[in-house]
Amino acid sequence: MNKPKVEVTVSNRTIIRVIVMVVATFLGIRFLMNISHALTLIFSSFFLALALNPAVSWISHQLKIKSRAAATGIAYLTVLVILIGFLAAVIPPLVRQTSDFISDLPATIESVTSTDSGLGKLVQKYDLQDSVDGIANDMRDRIKNLPQPVLSTAGKVGSGLVSFIAVLFMTFMMLVEGPMWFQKLLELQEPAKREPRKKLAMKMYRVITNYVNGQLLIAAIAASFAFVAMVIASNIFNVEINALGFAGIIALAGLIPMIGNTIGAGIVVVVSALSSIPLAITMGIFFLVYQQIENVTIQPYIQSRKNELSPLLVFIAALCGIGLGGLLGGFVAIPLAACIRILLNDYLLERLKQKA
């Protein structure tokens, strides 16, 4: 029995449409890749504007300021004064200690190995003096050529500073114009859907602000414990350190979920090593223990209460965010997961209403 032949006819119009779609998709992906940095800055500004909006509203209400731009300016000036004061207290001693350590390192190696210390005896016993001298000379050469990588680093810092200023400017404008744009978007909705959409948007807004408040609380707790530990350890080893400045570093790094305290702890341990190795080891042990406690108790508990997510979902969201978007992805992953949960619940409720 002969099987009927099946012929598929593709019109020229269909072929052209497929080609146009493929080309458009390719160009769209290339376009998004080219502006990915700008989109990151815009998204960061939008998230910061949502996070800072409660502070601006509070200032406007407490000071009886009708101008939203003026309230935003006061909030900005307050944050900048605190940030500048912190940087002025931390950066100069950090740069000075690092510079002195690098400059004195070759001489320190030679003096240690040439005395009757245990390390010196070890070098003499195994005839390692030539190798140590070679290391010291190599370090001298690297220190002489240090301006070259410093210039390269300065260029990257300059580019980062430009991006930071752009984010500050866009955040300011979003804070000033945000309520107006939100009201215009509501007016475009159908009258029957206007109020439900507003409640949904406000619910997601509260999730983001609660997340920021929770992360600030977590960072403050970590900085407080770190400050106490550094004061105690510095007194035990009789070492002068800027405990308050180091606690500020922990607080700033702690704003990044899951790995923020690890970054801050690494900075503190490295800088502590410039003054005292036993102090650095002690602080390293402290941070290792504290981070394990925070990751499984403090952070999941606080964020799960603030965002109505289970500790497991908070942990998974943070890991996925860091894996997909780095530090920024980790920072926004938890509130984004909470917003998706709100949208999904709203969608399911609408479906149930329609079926009923």
Side-chain angles (χ1 to χ4, degrees), residues 211 257-259 295-296 299-301 303-304 307 309-326 329-338 340:
Y211 165 73
M258 306 306 293
I259 66 169
N295 289 341
V296 298
Q299 178 153 340
Y301 176 74
Q303 292 297 5
S304 63
N307 292 306
L309 292 173
S310 69
L312 177 61
L313 290 179
V314 170
F315 188 80
I316 293 174
L319 288 180
C320 293
I322 293 170
L324 294 174
F331 187 69
V332 303
I334 296 174
L336 184 61
I340 292 174

Side-chain angles (χ1 to χ4, degrees), residues 50-274:
L50 290 177
L52 293 175
N53 187 64
V56 174
S57 300
W58 183 85
I59 291 174
S60 179
H61 176 73
Q62 294 296 323
L63 300 181
K64 309 298 182 181
I65 300 175
K66 295 183 179 180
S67 173
R68 187 169 178 83
T72 305
I74 293 174
Y76 258 57
L77 287 176
T78 304
V79 173
L80 287 177
V81 168
I82 295 173
L83 184 61
I84 291 173
F86 167 74
L87 294 177
V90 174
I91 290 181
L94 178 61
V95 172
R96 185 175 60 254
Q97 291 178 10
T98 304
S99 178
D100 293 342
F101 177 80
I102 293 175
S103 301
D104 297 338
L105 188 58
T108 302
I109 294 176
E110 291 182 349
S111 63
V112 170
T113 56
S114 62
T115 59
D116 293 333
S117 63
L119 184 57
K121 292 179 180 179
L122 183 65
V123 170
Q124 295 174 6
K125 179 179 179 181
Y126 293 99
D127 195 21
L128 300 175
Q129 189 64 46
D130 293 338
S131 300
V132 172
D133 292 340
I135 294 174
N137 292 330
D138 181 63
M139 287 184 177
R140 284 196 185 93
D141 295 336
R142 290 179 179 273
I143 292 172
K144 291 178 181 178
N145 297 325
L146 193 60
Q148 296 178 357
V150 168
L151 291 175
S152 176
T153 303
K156 295 179 181 179
V157 171
S159 176
L161 183 61
V162 171
S163 299
F164 178 72
I165 294 174
V167 168
L168 288 180
F169 179 77
M170 286 190 292
T171 303
F172 182 88
M173 298 306 297
M174 288 179 182
L175 282 169
V176 174
E177 300 181 6
M180 178 187 67
W181 285 107
F182 179 67
Q183 188 62 34
K184 288 185 176 180
L185 287 175
L186 283 179
E187 292 174 357
L188 295 176
Q189 305 296 320
E190 297 178 9
K193 297 182 178 180
R194 195 169 295 169
E195 191 62 27
R197 296 282 172 83
K198 182 178 180 180
K199 290 182 179 179
L200 186 65
M202 293 305 297
K203 193 172 183 180
M204 290 189 289
Y205 165 73
R206 284 192 294 270
V207 162
I208 295 176
T209 55
N210 287 339
Y211 165 73
V212 173
N213 293 333
Q215 201 61 36
L216 287 173
L217 179 60
I218 292 171
I221 293 173
S224 300
F225 279 105
F227 176 77
V228 173
M230 282 183 282
V231 169
I232 295 174
S234 61
N235 289 328
I236 292 175
F237 296 107
N238 194 23
V239 179
E240 293 185 4
I241 60 172
N242 190 352
L244 183 61
F246 287 160
I249 292 175
I250 296 297
L252 289 177
L255 297 177
I256 305 171
M258 306 306 293
I259 66 169
N261 283 337
T262 302
I263 297 173
I267 296 173
V268 172
V269 170
V270 170
V271 177
S272 298
L274 303 180

